[in-house]
Amino acid sequence: MKKSSKRKRKARPAELSTDLLTKQAEEQFAGARYKDAMQSYKLLIGRERRPEWIVALRHAYLARAEELAAKDMIKEASALWESMAHLCQSQDGLDRYLHWLLQSGRYERAARVLSDASNEFQDSAAGRDVAACLGVLLLGGKTELKGALPSDAQLDSAAAALRAYCAGDDEEMAAYLKRLPYRSPYRDLRPIFQALVKTQTCGGEAGTQLKKLSTDSIFTPLSTLIGALDLPEDRLLNQMRGLKPEEFQLFAALRGWDSTQIELLQKVLELKSSKEGVSLKALFRVLADYRQVIGEAHAQRMALALLNAYPDGIKAYDPVFKTLTVPHRLRIGALRNEQNDDPEEAVDLWYRCVDSLQQEPESEHNRLASALILRHVAKLKRAFMAPFEWMDEGLNDLGRSLEFDPTDKDTYLEMVQILEHHGREKERDRWLERAVKHLPEESDIILAAANAAYRRGAFKKAANYVDALLARDPINRQARGLLISCHLAHGRKQAVAGKFRHAVKELDIAMRHAKDEIQQGSVELTRGLVALAAGEEGKAAQWLEQGYQHSGGSAAADLRIIVDGRRIGISNKKLQPQLEMCRTKGRQDFDRADIFNFTDLLLRYRFEGVRFLTEIVTSLQKPLRKAAAFDYSLQELQSICEAFAEIDAYLPLGAYADKALAQAPGIPAFVYFDVVAKNRGRRRISNSDRGRLLDAYERAENEGDFATMERIDQLFESSGSFGAMGPVSGFPPDLGSVLGEALESMSEAEFAELAAKVFGDDLEQLFEPLPVPQRKREKKAHRPADDSGSEPPRQDELF
Amino acid sequence: MNDPYSILEVAESASDEEINSAYLRKVREYPPEQEPERFQMIRDAFETIRTVKDRLHYQLFCQVPPDLESVLAPVLRRRNARQRPTEEVLLKALAASVLKVKKTQQQ
């Protein structure tokens, strides 16, 4: 027995009771099942012609017709409307029906339906639109409408105006347009023709005319077309995409394009409308085929630029344009390797490109290109080299680039910064000398040279640099600060030598340059200290008190008195009472500004080579840590942390790094500062901190934070945990296997010794959390393979 | 459009002065307060080719292929004498455009 025969048969609609069928029809309509609803209502009407069912049937028909029209089934939609009109004796939705007729090309039928429609409909906006549309179609060549449309004087006027416009008779055109009454369906042609006339003379006025059109006018697309005539090139093409071929012809005619331009633009629009879009290959083809229309020079430049992303076009480029030079070939190859994530191969090709460019060493263009390439290479190498490895390589590339382009300020400054950071001062000074020689008027270079001279104690030379700089740039605050520092330093030098009169003279000069209270305060404090060294305690107290007040009291002034006092050679015993006296009159707590002044001064002293800063900061750690509670931006916190890290002031460093990590967890620079502070500069780092540093390194690498990468790298290097850097890029890719082989050949005792060296006290911690069997396996894995037939350890397990 | 020369409407051989003048002309044409996006595009183009070094840098390392608008810029920009269309062209376009609006209304 068949399974289906067991089921209860669903009742057919015709078998349903009227109530049930009504309910079903309503549900079908509500559920947008219009076709089913139509059938149900037709059955119901067959039983009884109730008016509400007829209305419901009409709605179902119209809704279904709209549904079909939305799917571009216009003919089917029209047929449904016709059925509805017959079944329900209704003209509902006549405007939609007329639109569908027009859309499906049944113009004659549309004209007849319109003429049979009620006067009310003919006089409505929808009716006038259809009439205008049919009129325009008749003028446009749909002659079949001639018999279907009644003779229309307004249409004749519109046609005459159009003929007059095309013939260039603007007066006649205006006269015909004036004949169109206000309610004429062709009334909107007035601003259209007036705008067309204006496009030839003044594009802006055309826009004013077009604004007179209502947005729902049937002439809106034509108005948009006219408005697009003066669009900038990048918007023009998109606008043209929406044009029909007939509209494009008009657009081209109005723009005055010739046949070759039209052919090119049609080709491009065709490409743009294709599903695949415009591929690089197709674009290259357009450039090659239409280079004369586009313009030879422009086409060649575009094709060359295209080759950077489309190297396959090189073969086609040579015969069409001109043979690509060797440097260009190498350059394109290098860029391709960069795109393919092979920077090492790219670097090789860039070097070859430089060599090739140097075949014509006298060419200024080639020299500049070589310099730019070498700078690019230095940047590229940063991406795949460890910081310590990059330094010499990068400096070499940058230095070589300056041979070709010796006036690049940024490269000098970058090199100076790197060399200074790594304490290679002699090299730094050599590069600075070259920089000053080539760029004697460049403020940043002169300032860098002055700072370097100051740092090596050549105060007069530094002052000369800064004097020259201030003569050109008198409001350079950094230069002024440095000049004052130079005179103060020279004054201290004289005081140390017991030449107090000379010292005072220098301080007088410094005072003349001081422009604000802080600068004046620093001179006054030094003056007080010189007086103290000269034994003039009364004067000293006066100057120090004055200077303390001008310096804003508090942290920075304390620091200055202690550091400069010591540098002049004043004993603590002599200095302390003066400091206490100042402190009683100054503020006890630090505010935000004090912290910035203090850290700026710390860095300045560090830069000047002052060595005893840590102990001074340690003595001030309580108020410094308290001041960490203020609000700081991450950038401010970074500057503060850098200053404390620089002088190994771990307690305040920890407080500020903690604050930053609470604000923005995981930021690599602050993770580094936190680890350094926590370990108090000790070389040995715990496993958990090593893990944090490795994560921070990876994040810094992703974010391009090279400074933090370098710091972490140096910390690892100094902690001797080189082996822990396995995952860090920049190490040889085969490092694991090399070390693996080395470890394999070690005896257990040798291995234990090495492990103790690398992991120190953390060795136990390293193995402690492991379950015993695994620990045994780990230990076994570190032993050399024996002859027992067990498998040798996998090399990657060694790390 | 992504080609700075096309954006500023200058030739590849343009000097610093020419580029500067073109930039100022464009900024006057598209002031930042009226056309902020376009101004930014103009500003970026200017920064990209401002000096000889910038231009060479762009030529050597730019990996972004020119777009269609940049390729066609000289053609689209070419100011041919504007002409009046023939009756036939205008009427056909008119007829095509009125039918277009019907379709749009329906959709």
Side-chain angles (χ1 to χ4, degrees):
Chain A
M1 189 188 276
K2 282 184 183 172
K3 220 177 181 182
S4 60
S5 62
K6 275 186 175 176
R7 279 195 206 139
K8 198 179 170 186
R9 191 171 63 84
K10 201 178 170 184
R12 290 191 188 115
E15 294 166 358
L16 288 174
S17 69
T18 302
D19 284 347
L20 278 175
L21 190 56
T22 311
K23 200 181 164 202
Q24 179 178 289
E26 282 167 0
E27 280 172 3
Q28 285 164 337
F29 188 84
R33 289 160 54 207
Y34 305 123
K35 199 176 166 186
D36 294 339
M38 279 158 54
Q39 295 308 323
S40 300
Y41 281 121
K42 272 198 265 184
L43 279 174
L44 284 167
I45 289 169
R47 290 178 194 178
E48 187 186 343
R49 258 187 100 76
R50 279 193 210 169
E52 68 265 28
W53 290 341
I54 296 172
V55 170
L57 177 65
R58 195 174 75 213
H59 287 156
Y61 260 100
L62 287 175
R64 175 66 181 156
E66 289 286 4
E67 207 173 48
L68 292 173
K71 292 177 187 166
D72 254 354
M73 296 164 76
I74 306 297
K75 280 186 183 169
E76 289 79 355
S78 313
L80 270 186
W81 188 91
E82 284 161 8
S83 302
M84 183 280 296
H86 173 71
L87 278 173
C88 307
Q89 295 299 303
S90 169
Q91 293 285 296
D92 238 22
L94 179 61
D95 57 332
R96 305 296 299 131
Y97 175 57
L98 283 165
H99 294 158
W100 294 330
L101 290 178
L102 289 172
Q103 226 178 309
S104 53
R106 294 166 70 192
Y107 309 124
E108 211 179 332
R109 165 95 183 134
R112 289 192 201 290
V113 171
L114 182 66
S115 62
D116 291 345
S118 65
N119 286 342
E120 196 190 345
F121 180 81
Q122 286 187 20
D123 206 33
S124 69
R128 284 207 306 274
D129 272 358
V130 177
C133 196
L134 288 167
V136 167
L137 289 168
L138 173 63
L139 294 177
K142 306 293 177 199
T143 46
E144 66 268 28
L145 286 170
K146 229 174 205 172
L149 282 176
S151 68
D152 183 352
Q154 292 171 21
L155 179 61
D156 294 341
S157 296
L162 187 144
R163 276 194 297 275
Y165 161 73
C166 293
D169 189 345
D170 295 344
E171 273 182 34
E172 197 176 313
M173 178 197 84
Y176 278 115
L177 287 174
K178 265 188 188 169
R179 291 186 194 174
L180 296 173
Y182 184 72
R183 288 180 66 78
S184 166
Y186 310 105
R187 176 78 177 186
D188 282 348
L189 282 176
R190 281 177 74 160
I192 290 280
F193 282 120
Q194 278 156 358
L196 280 170
V197 171
K198 295 288 180 196
T199 54
Q200 282 191 301
T201 50
C202 181
E205 285 183 33
T208 317
Q209 290 296 330
L210 294 174
K211 276 182 194 158
K212 292 178 184 171
L213 238 73
S214 65
T215 47
D216 57 353
S217 166
I218 61 159
F219 299 107
T220 300
L222 189 63
S223 155
T224 311
L225 181 151
I226 300 166
L229 284 168
D230 288 307
L231 281 179
E233 301 85 63
D234 53 328
R235 294 183 196 165
L236 195 59
L237 211 55
N238 266 341
Q239 196 69 36
M240 280 161 57
R241 269 179 80 181
L243 297 181
K244 286 183 167 184
E246 298 88 346
E247 290 177 302
F248 178 79
Q249 289 298 332
L250 174 66
F251 195 82
L254 289 169
R255 290 275 305 202
W257 286 334
D258 60 30
S259 57
T260 53
Q261 282 172 293
I262 292 173
E263 188 192 323
L264 164 63
L265 292 168
Q266 276 176 332
K267 168 85 186 165
V268 164
L269 290 173
E270 197 182 300
L271 280 175
K272 240 186 152 176
S273 317
S274 67
K275 270 187 186 171
E276 304 82 41
V278 189
S279 65
L280 294 179
K281 189 178 176 183
L283 196 57
F284 189 87
R285 227 33 281 157
V286 167
L287 282 163
D289 294 346
Y290 295 93
R291 59 190 184 281
Q292 281 170 338
V293 188
I294 294 169
E296 291 279 359
H298 182 76
Q300 189 182 338
R301 185 170 72 77
M302 290 286 112
L304 190 58
L306 201 60
L307 293 182
N308 293 349
Y310 175 58
D312 292 343
I314 291 178
K315 272 183 202 165
Y317 181 91
D318 282 353
V320 176
F321 296 99
K322 65 176 184 185
T323 310
L324 211 56
T325 59
V326 175
H328 268 311
R329 275 178 204 281
L330 292 164
R331 178 182 68 81
I332 291 164
L335 289 175
R336 184 188 218 172
N337 279 296
E338 284 183 30
Q339 284 159 14
N340 294 342
D341 224 8
D342 189 354
E344 288 174 68
E345 185 59 28
V347 164
D348 184 47
L349 287 170
W350 281 123
Y351 279 140
R352 285 170 58 193
C353 187
V354 171
D355 292 344
S356 175
L357 285 167
Q358 288 318 301
Q359 310 259 318
E360 282 181 64
E362 67 285 352
S363 157
E364 197 50 47
H365 178 273
N366 285 5
R367 292 178 66 79
L368 192 54
S370 302
L372 291 176
I373 290 171
L374 288 165
R375 281 165 207 154
H376 180 76
V377 164
K379 208 182 280 176
L380 209 57
K381 282 182 179 173
R382 258 200 152 137
F384 68 90
M385 283 185 163
F388 66 87
E389 201 184 358
W390 176 83
M391 195 176 63
D392 279 332
E393 293 251 357
L395 283 172
N396 187 39
D397 292 326
L398 293 175
R400 238 185 107 197
S401 84
L402 288 171
E403 287 170 21
F404 297 119
D405 171 27
T407 57
D408 192 74
K409 179 186 84 173
D410 292 342
T411 305
Y412 282 116
L413 291 175
E414 190 182 354
M415 291 184 71
V416 165
Q417 198 192 6
I418 296 166
L419 290 166
E420 198 161 274
H421 185 69
H422 290 91
R424 291 160 67 166
E425 283 157 11
K426 280 189 179 169
E427 282 171 82
R428 174 202 65 189
D429 292 344
R430 269 205 307 276
W431 281 109
L432 271 171
E433 262 176 46
R434 280 180 68 170
V436 172
K437 188 178 150 199
H438 289 290
L439 299 160
E441 303 218 326
E442 194 59 67
S443 300
D444 292 338
I445 294 289
I446 303 299
L447 202 59
N451 270 316
Y454 180 87
R455 202 167 171 182
R456 59 175 188 268
F459 304 126
K460 280 221 158 171
K461 191 170 183 179
N464 286 341
Y465 276 134
V466 186
D467 263 336
L469 178 55
L470 283 171
R472 280 196 310 278
D473 181 11
I475 54 165
N476 190 321
R477 204 180 143 74
Q478 264 185 300
R480 189 163 296 282
L482 184 59
L483 184 62
I484 293 169
S485 295
C486 286
H487 289 294
L488 292 181
H490 204 227
R492 285 196 304 271
K493 207 170 164 183
Q494 302 288 359
V496 171
K499 297 174 182 173
F500 295 109
R501 272 180 58 204
H502 287 97
V504 170
K505 218 171 155 185
E506 283 295 324
L507 298 179
D508 282 344
I509 301 171
M511 189 57 100
R512 281 206 295 277
H513 289 293
K515 294 286 178 197
D516 59 36
E517 280 205 339
I518 301 274
Q519 288 174 340
Q520 281 170 14
S522 65
V523 180
E524 287 160 351
L525 286 176
T526 313
R527 195 151 209 177
L529 292 170
V530 169
L532 195 61
E536 298 176 26
E537 289 188 4
K539 263 189 186 176
Q542 208 181 337
W543 281 116
L544 286 172
E545 193 184 325
Q546 202 174 317
Y548 202 85
Q549 295 298 334
H550 281 149
S551 306
S554 206
D558 270 26
L559 184 64
R560 200 175 274 282
I561 292 174
I562 300 170
V563 173
D564 288 348
R566 281 204 203 177
R567 290 205 286 192
I568 289 173
I570 303 168
S571 67
N572 252 353
K573 201 178 158 190
K574 216 170 169 183
L575 198 60
Q576 204 55 35
Q578 298 290 346
L579 187 61
E580 289 304 325
M581 181 268 296
C582 290
R583 277 178 179 167
T584 51
K585 294 184 181 175
R587 285 180 291 118
Q588 297 303 308
D589 283 331
F590 300 162
D591 59 20
R592 265 170 51 89
D594 287 329
I595 296 298
F596 299 136
N597 287 336
F598 182 76
T599 48
D600 280 354
L601 195 60
L602 269 183
L603 286 177
R604 184 86 217 159
Y605 281 140
R606 174 76 177 163
F607 169 74
E608 289 172 14
V610 177
R611 288 169 190 277
F612 44 85
L613 293 169
T614 317
E615 59 179 279
I616 299 172
V617 174
T618 308
S619 71
L620 294 168
Q621 59 163 296
K622 264 192 184 174
L624 286 173
R625 287 169 71 183
K626 203 173 154 191
F630 295 125
D631 278 337
Y632 300 98
S633 68
L634 285 178
Q635 207 179 346
E636 287 167 344
L637 284 167
Q638 171 130 4
S639 306
I640 295 169
C641 286
E642 272 168 8
F644 287 135
E646 195 66 38
I647 59 152
D648 303 334
Y650 301 118
L651 284 171
L653 175 65
Y656 288 87
D658 274 352
K659 183 173 176 73
L661 287 173
Q663 264 174 245
I667 294 211
F670 296 113
V671 172
Y672 164 81
F673 289 131
D674 191 48
V675 170
V676 168
K678 213 169 121 190
N679 290 283
R680 306 247 188 303
R682 281 196 301 265
R683 283 180 158 202
R684 213 171 294 135
I685 302 166
S686 71
N687 275 340
S688 63
D689 281 342
R690 185 176 292 119
R692 286 176 70 203
L693 285 173
L694 285 172
D695 288 344
Y697 190 99
E698 206 176 315
R699 185 166 162 185
E701 195 172 26
N702 291 336
E703 292 170 1
D705 180 359
F706 297 116
T708 302
M709 283 168 69
E710 198 174 338
R711 281 182 180 135
I712 296 174
D713 216 12
Q714 279 173 353
L715 185 63
F716 273 126
E717 223 179 316
S718 66
S719 71
S721 54
F722 185 73
M725 293 286 286
V728 178
S729 70
F731 287 94
D734 57 348
L735 179 68
S737 57
V738 171
L739 287 180
E741 278 167 27
L743 288 172
E744 253 182 280
S745 61
M746 277 182 185
S747 69
E748 198 169 345
E750 282 171 331
F751 175 77
E753 196 186 338
L754 176 68
K757 262 187 195 170
V758 172
F759 297 111
D761 295 343
D762 297 329
L763 186 60
E764 276 307 305
Q765 205 183 328
L766 183 72
F767 290 109
E768 201 58 46
L770 298 172
V772 178
Q774 197 178 342
R775 186 178 164 181
K776 275 182 184 168
R777 275 206 304 276
E778 290 274 326
K779 282 195 168 179
K780 200 175 173 185
H782 292 148
R783 288 190 200 122
D786 58 21
D787 297 327
S788 62
S790 60
E791 273 185 19
R794 273 173 49 204
Q795 284 169 352
D796 56 357
E797 282 176 352
L798 293 169
F799 294 93
Chain B
M1 185 133 58
N2 61 2
D3 173 48
Y5 294 94
S6 301
I7 292 169
L8 295 177
E9 289 186 43
V10 290
E12 199 189 10
S13 56
S15 64
D16 291 1
E17 290 75 30
E18 284 169 325
I19 288 169
N20 209 38
S21 316
Y23 169 66
L24 294 175
R25 193 178 62 240
K26 283 280 171 188
V27 171
R28 275 196 295 275
E29 205 176 330
Y30 302 102
E33 60 278 7
Q34 283 173 25
E35 299 237 22
E37 278 178 27
R38 197 161 184 86
F39 168 77
Q40 195 50 53
M41 188 169 91
I42 292 163
R43 178 79 209 170
D44 291 345
F46 177 58
E47 293 295 342
T48 307
I49 56 168
R50 193 175 193 162
T51 63
V52 178
K53 211 178 271 188
D54 293 333
R55 295 194 281 282
L56 191 51
H57 192 278
Y58 175 74
Q59 190 198 358
L60 286 170
F61 308 117
C62 176
Q63 296 191 29
V64 183
D67 56 15
L68 204 51
E69 282 79 4
S70 302
V71 166
L72 295 177
V75 180
L76 296 172
R77 199 182 301 134
R78 209 167 291 155
R79 302 260 173 211
N80 298 351
R82 296 241 168 123
Q83 293 163 4
R84 293 207 178 184
T86 60
E87 259 182 75
E88 191 192 349
V89 167
L90 180 53
L91 279 169
K92 280 188 175 169
L94 199 55
S97 72
V98 290
L99 286 176
K100 200 169 167 184
V101 81
K102 292 299 158 204
K103 190 169 183 179
T104 316
Q105 272 177 2
Q106 182 222 325
Q107 277 172 350

